Amino acid sequence: MTIHKSKGLEFDTVIFLGLEDSQWWSFPDQPEEEKRAFFVAFSRAIRQVVFTYSEVRPNPRTGEVIAQTRGHIQSLYDVLQQAGILEESPLTRLPVATGLRK
């Protein structure tokens, strides 16, 4: 489901796939109102939010494996960190935001 289609709905768990620059390529150029869409989707979760991040991802056109970055969306990571969301190693488990609403 897209972020815009989630508006007004609630789910037990919301999962963000690919919280990295290549998946959010237009984020830095979006107006502030559009950037808030991330938080609209984030707030749809009743119990938990899961974020995934790939250190490498194949280019869909060439198949070349490309290292992923998150410098362009670092502000999202900063807000999550300020909210107390801890980043966990992929070798242990995915980062999870819990206790959002009761």
Side-chain angles (χ1 to χ4, degrees):
M1 173 179 294
T2 66
I3 288 174
H4 294 288
K5 287 186 179 185
S6 72
K7 192 172 182 178
L9 302 175
E10 290 186 332
F11 304 93
D12 180 70
T13 301
V14 171
I15 301 171
F16 285 87
L17 300 175
L19 197 57
E20 62 228 22
D21 289 343
S22 68
Q23 301 301 311
W24 293 71
W25 56 270
S26 66
F27 184 80
D29 300 325
Q30 292 178 342
E32 287 302 313
E33 187 169 323
E34 285 295 314
K35 290 179 180 179
R36 292 185 193 113
F38 171 83
F39 297 100
V40 168
F42 181 88
S43 67
R44 302 301 88 205
I46 295 170
R47 193 172 63 82
Q48 68 179 355
V49 178
V50 178
F51 303 93
T52 67
Y53 172 85
S54 294
E55 290 185 359
V56 295
R57 186 178 297 279
N59 181 314
R61 287 176 276 177
T62 65
E64 175 188 12
V65 176
I66 301 169
Q68 297 299 296
T69 60
R70 56 184 182 198
H72 295 299
I73 62 167
Q74 186 61 47
S75 61
L76 295 178
Y77 278 90
D78 293 343
V79 169
L80 294 172
Q81 185 178 27
Q82 291 168 6
I85 308 302
L86 300 176
E87 186 173 347
E88 296 185 17
S89 166
L91 300 175
T92 55
R93 58 179 230 162
L94 297 173
V96 176
T98 59
L100 299 175
R101 286 188 260 173
K102 295 191 179 197

